[in-house]
């Protein structure tokens, strides 16, 4: 009985392009998460070191101590940098944690709008792009 062998089909070009596109989105998300995390670390250091620099808005609903916000931003920002580096290493858990972390940092940036309005708006946009990039890219096995 003769065996017939089927030639191995190479992945189609559209599949190769979509895999490349997905890898590019994850890399974009990783870089932006590391940049946003670094900016949050710097924001945290400023708030902890000298909270007189930060303008306080009277009668703000979400009024917090700026030193407390500084610690929150410092810790979440450092975690974001570590998760961003893990995304470069191809860790599967890092995408889910990256989306969760970007969501938390987006919320903290919203809550600190009165303290740093321009910086908060920029970081809200950055974290929105990170969530989009990490949620849009399909894992390699699909």
């Amino acid at each position: 009985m003769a065996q017939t062998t089927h030639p191995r089909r190479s992945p189609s070009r559209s599949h190769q392009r979509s895999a490349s596109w997905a890898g590019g989105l994850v890399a974009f998300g990783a870089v932006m998460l590391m940049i946003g995390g670094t900016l949050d670390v710097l924001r945290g250091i400023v708030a902890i070191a000298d909270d007189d620099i930060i303008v306080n808005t009277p009668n703000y609903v979400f009024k917090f101590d700026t030193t407390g916000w500084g610690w929150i931003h410092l810790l979440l920002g450092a975690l974001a940098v570590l998760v961003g580096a893990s995304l470069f290493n191809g860790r599967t858990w890092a995408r889910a944690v990256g989306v969760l972390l970007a969501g938390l940092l987006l919320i903290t940036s919203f809550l600190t709008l009165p303290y740093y309005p321009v910086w908060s708006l920029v970081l809200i946009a950055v974290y929105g792009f990170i969530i989009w990039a990490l949620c849009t890219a399909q894992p390699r096995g699909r």
Side-chain angles (χ1 to χ4, degrees):
M1 185 166 178
Q3 273 187 325
T4 56
T5 58
H6 298 286
R8 273 185 88 96
R9 291 180 17 175
S10 62
S12 67
R13 286 184 185 225
S14 65
H15 179 65
Q16 289 173 343
R17 276 187 295 232
S18 65
S20 173
W21 177 251
L25 282 176
V26 172
F28 171 79
V31 168
M32 294 305 288
L33 192 59
M34 292 177 73
I35 290 170
T38 302
L39 292 174
D40 267 310
V41 166
L42 294 174
R43 176 168 35 179
I45 290 171
V46 167
I48 293 167
D50 189 9
D51 58 357
D52 293 336
I53 293 174
I54 299 166
V55 177
N56 285 324
T57 303
N59 302 324
Y60 181 51
V61 175
F62 302 109
K63 188 168 184 146
F64 297 100
D65 179 37
T66 53
T67 304
W69 272 121
W71 282 107
I72 291 169
H73 285 287
L74 180 68
L75 295 174
L76 288 177
L79 190 58
V81 171
L82 293 174
V83 170
S86 295
L87 282 166
F88 279 119
N89 293 330
R91 307 278 190 246
T92 54
W93 59 266
R95 285 182 61 187
V97 173
V99 170
L100 176 71
L101 197 56
L104 285 173
L105 286 164
L106 189 144
I107 291 168
T108 60
S109 293
F110 172 76
L111 293 175
T112 57
L113 265 169
Y115 303 111
Y116 344 79
V118 175
W119 200 339
S120 293
L121 287 174
V122 168
L123 286 177
I124 287 171
V126 166
Y127 291 125
F129 279 123
I130 291 167
I131 292 169
W132 170 78
L134 294 180
C135 288
T136 302
Q138 294 295 320
R140 292 179 196 230
R142 292 189 183 176

